[in-house]
Amino acid sequence: VQLQASGGGLVQAGGCLRLSCAASGSNFRPNYMGWYRQAPGNQRELVAGIRSGGLTNYADSVKGRFTISRDNAKNMVYLQMNSLKPEDTAVYYCNVAGSTGWGFPFTSWGQGTQVTVSS
């Protein structure tokens, strides 16, 4: 399963961005789709995740500002980021975990997209 993320960029504090991630491949079931981020010198951390049934989870630092959503028909996951802060600056990675048509589990990572929030 290949992931292609897009939508990063440079924005001023208080602004917004929308990240998109497309999952492609043959005969797979993406059960969990999520976004992680990694700032320089920091470990990669979970930002938000969404299960196939729509259940979501968020890092405390983004609750109320970020919204994750998915389009199951298109195998897409989105992250709407509002009220951005300089501390949101990081490389954002999409992640998909699920099973193949043969029932084998998989997890895939996108290439990362840079989000920079200026103060």
Side-chain angles (χ1 to χ4, degrees):
V1 178
Q2 294 79 43
L3 304 182
Q4 181 68 45
S6 61
L10 173 64
V11 64
Q12 288 187 332
C16 58
L17 285 173
R18 187 185 193 223
L19 305 183
S20 301
C21 179
S24 62
S26 59
N27 199 16
F28 67 98
R29 181 179 298 175
N31 295 323
Y32 179 86
M33 307 181 86
W35 289 95
Y36 290 71
R37 67 187 180 187
Q38 187 168 18
N42 291 354
Q43 291 187 331
R44 190 172 298 187
E45 63 176 1
L46 173 70
V47 177
I50 183 167
R51 298 199 175 274
S52 55
L55 185 65
T56 59
N57 61 294
Y58 295 91
D60 287 343
S61 59
V62 307
K63 284 180 180 177
R65 299 188 298 122
F66 292 10
T67 302
I68 190 170
S69 61
R70 61 188 286 172
D71 184 332
N72 291 328
K74 297 180 180 179
N75 290 326
M76 297 282 295
V77 62
Y78 307 96
L79 186 68
Q80 178 66 43
M81 304 184 292
N82 297 331
S83 302
L84 282 160
K85 304 176 180 180
E87 50 264 44
D88 294 319
T89 296
V91 177
Y92 284 68
Y93 298 90
C94 60
N95 169 261
V96 173
S99 57
T100 68
W102 293 98
F104 295 112
F106 74 89
T107 184
S108 295
W109 291 91
Q111 82 282 13
T113 184
Q114 177 71 45
V115 171
T116 303
V117 185
S118 62
S119 57

